[in-house]
Amino acid sequence: MESGKKSLEELTTAGVFHVPEYQRYYSWTEPEWDDLWTDLYTLPPDKQHYFGTIIIQKTDETESGGSTGGYGSSREKPINLLIDGQQRLTSLALLVRSMTECLEEIAPETDHEAEILGDVEEMRETLLIEDNIYQLQLLDEEDNKYLEWLLTGHDVHEPERPSQRKMIEAKEYFDEQLDDLTASPDVNPVDVATELKQLWETILELELMVYVVDAANPEKATLIFDSVNDRGRSLSTFDKTKSFLMRMAYLAADDEGEAQATIRRIRQSFGEMYNDHQTMLESPYVTDISDDAVQRYHFISYFDWSNSDEYSDPAFLTELKEHVRTLRREDPQACLEYIRNYTNSLERGFNALAKVLDRTGDDDISTLVQRIHRLRHATKFYPLLLKA
């Protein structure tokens, strides 16, 4: 597949999509699910919906469908890394799963059962699973298994992480929307099936701007991601920081090997920080804490305290950008070293705060943490805890 405007149906022909571990966990909530559902369900038949940018990186690997009991296809599919688009595609997969369940339930109530179930099979094979291969896979093993359970109708255990909870809540949200279509006692099942077939056609025709990066040039994905996502899109300051640091590392490095090594390290660090952020969200001490907020606490402890205006979000990213860009102009190697040091320090900060917010025992440190959080505005102490 080449870069360019594609439909979602065309995108699915590129192979399967693996979400790298250094990407953000699933984080969409009801406002995003509601926008997705409303945009798709209310779209006029003669209109196309622009679904945004998708960035995929080719790999040299393929995945073959495992046979079950000696049966099954040996077909191989190319593996692509999904650099940008996992929130949308994960949500879309959960919506399609809800659609297939709804159609399977109402099909026997019509005279078109075989035809409807044929549509269900098409939906399943196009966007969910074909030849025992899942079309979308998360490289975080725990979350991927949870997603697989949701997409195949297995009973799921109580979610253990915020990302798993959001996935099951997304599925429940779409189930509720479809339940509303069938709630009336005099509803015609054929009409519902027709509506869902039209919705499926709308999904297949979703318009995308797809950027395809060769396996031999992975740093290009970083440059595209930074260029596309740093121009007014709803992306967190933390995510923008990751893409900016990777792009500056690529530009400052003397050779490609050094650039790729630094970019890999940045990705690993941000993957660990996403994991630490998951731990924070489970803490009884905070109802919600964004990764932008944690980065801001770190900024206060890491940078000069002389100007409080610099602590605001996203002003501290502007400050970081100016400093890194100046270093790259004056001393590229010093710039690389600064990027490594800042990334390592930020990772330590996330890890330290995660450990603090995870202290719920009856030891002295846990007791101190509990006392701090009894105070009003306890978050003001977080930069001091990181500094310590």
Side-chain angles (χ1 to χ4, degrees):
M1 175 175 286
E2 301 297 325
S3 298
K5 285 187 178 180
K6 310 287 182 184
S7 68
L8 182 75
E9 185 173 20
E10 289 176 299
L11 177 68
T12 62
T13 65
V16 297
F17 304 97
H18 289 189
V19 179
E21 287 182 309
Y22 58 80
Q23 295 290 0
R24 175 183 294 280
Y25 289 85
Y26 185 70
S27 60
W28 269 23
T29 55
E30 186 166 342
E32 289 83 15
W33 308 325
D34 191 61
D35 284 346
L36 176 63
W37 170 257
T38 302
D39 289 345
L40 295 178
Y41 187 68
T42 62
L43 189 72
D46 58 339
K47 300 291 184 181
Q48 265 191 316
H49 179 62
Y50 179 63
F51 203 48
T53 297
I54 299 289
I55 304 175
I56 61 175
Q57 178 185 322
K58 295 179 180 178
T59 73
D60 298 323
E61 301 175 4
T62 60
E63 186 166 352
S64 57
S67 61
T68 303
Y71 298 97
S73 170
S74 59
R75 176 182 176 185
E76 291 189 342
K77 292 188 176 185
I79 295 175
N80 304 280
L81 296 182
L82 184 60
I83 307 301
D84 187 24
Q86 71 125 328
Q87 303 289 332
R88 284 165 287 154
L89 292 188
T90 303
S91 300
L92 205 55
L94 292 167
L95 167 59
V96 170
R97 175 58 190 171
S98 293
M99 291 168 60
T100 62
E101 289 177 344
C102 181
L103 288 169
E104 285 173 331
E105 183 176 339
I106 65 174
E109 303 173 20
T110 74
D111 295 328
H112 308 278
E113 182 175 3
E115 185 180 352
I116 292 173
L117 294 181
D119 290 339
V120 167
E121 190 62 20
E122 177 191 333
M123 295 178 191
R124 184 179 291 116
E125 291 184 349
T126 302
L127 210 57
L128 304 182
I129 180 172
E130 182 182 26
D131 296 335
N132 297 316
I133 304 173
Y134 289 91
Q135 302 295 90
L136 179 67
Q137 299 183 39
L138 312 179
L139 293 192
D140 178 87
E141 186 175 346
E142 294 180 21
D143 279 10
N144 188 61
K145 178 57 67 176
Y146 210 81
L147 179 62
E148 288 181 359
W149 287 337
L150 287 172
L151 296 182
T152 53
H154 284 73
D155 292 334
V156 296
H157 58 66
E158 188 70 19
E160 298 175 351
R161 312 164 78 172
S163 51
Q164 295 172 4
R165 186 174 301 111
K166 287 182 172 69
M167 283 190 282
I168 197 169
E169 288 173 354
K171 175 65 168 51
E172 290 172 348
Y173 171 85
F174 295 127
D175 286 344
E176 289 172 4
Q177 307 314 306
L178 297 175
D179 286 344
D180 288 344
L181 298 182
T182 59
S184 174
D186 56 353
V187 68
N188 186 337
V190 174
D191 290 341
V192 175
T194 300
E195 284 189 64
L196 294 186
K197 183 177 179 66
Q198 292 172 345
L199 178 59
W200 173 240
E201 291 172 352
T202 297
I203 290 171
L204 289 178
E205 293 170 3
L206 286 171
E207 183 179 325
L208 307 165
M209 183 62 206
V210 179
Y211 293 94
V212 182
V213 178
D214 290 333
N217 192 20
E219 66 276 358
K220 186 177 179 182
T222 297
L223 302 180
I224 295 173
F225 184 87
D226 189 64
S227 175
V228 169
N229 286 287
D230 203 20
R231 285 169 171 77
R233 292 193 51 200
S234 181
L235 200 68
S236 74
T237 300
F238 185 66
D239 286 331
K240 289 181 179 181
T241 300
K242 178 181 69 173
S243 62
F244 170 74
L245 292 175
M246 290 192 293
R247 181 162 66 94
M248 287 296 105
Y250 171 74
L251 296 175
D254 284 337
D255 58 70
E256 185 175 326
E258 185 178 33
Q260 291 195 15
T262 305
I263 289 172
R264 280 196 300 271
R265 180 67 189 110
I266 293 170
R267 286 172 170 172
Q268 290 170 357
S269 291
F270 273 78
E272 291 297 324
M273 286 185 270
Y274 286 133
N275 193 46
D276 285 331
H277 184 233
Q278 291 268 302
T279 300
M280 296 179 206
L281 291 173
E282 291 291 274
S283 171
Y285 301 120
V286 292
T287 55
D288 189 22
I289 182 170
S290 69
D291 44 23
D292 284 358
V294 180
Q295 187 181 6
R296 184 169 62 250
Y297 302 144
H298 171 266
F299 181 88
I300 296 172
S301 66
Y302 188 80
F303 285 83
D304 188 354
W305 292 42
S306 59
N307 185 354
S308 61
D309 291 340
E310 295 173 357
Y311 306 157
S312 62
D313 179 18
F316 66 81
L317 177 56
T318 301
E319 184 78 7
L320 176 66
K321 285 184 173 182
E322 290 177 358
H323 186 68
V324 171
R325 284 172 173 152
T326 299
L327 276 177
R328 188 176 74 85
R329 287 193 302 268
E330 297 176 353
D331 188 343
Q333 283 303 308
C335 176
L336 269 182
E337 187 64 22
Y338 182 86
I339 289 172
R340 296 187 191 104
N341 290 339
Y342 174 76
T343 303
N344 290 338
S345 177
L346 187 59
E347 181 181 357
R348 289 195 300 271
F350 266 74
N351 185 252
L353 189 55
K355 288 180 177 178
V356 167
L357 296 180
D358 199 37
R359 298 300 291 255
T360 57
D362 54 6
D363 57 282
D364 291 342
I365 295 179
S366 297
T367 300
L368 179 60
V369 171
Q370 292 164 18
R371 288 177 177 174
I372 290 174
H373 284 91
R374 291 193 189 107
L375 302 173
R376 294 182 62 187
H377 309 300
T379 56
K380 291 184 177 180
F381 289 90
Y382 290 173
L384 293 174
L385 292 174
L386 297 183
K387 192 74 174 179

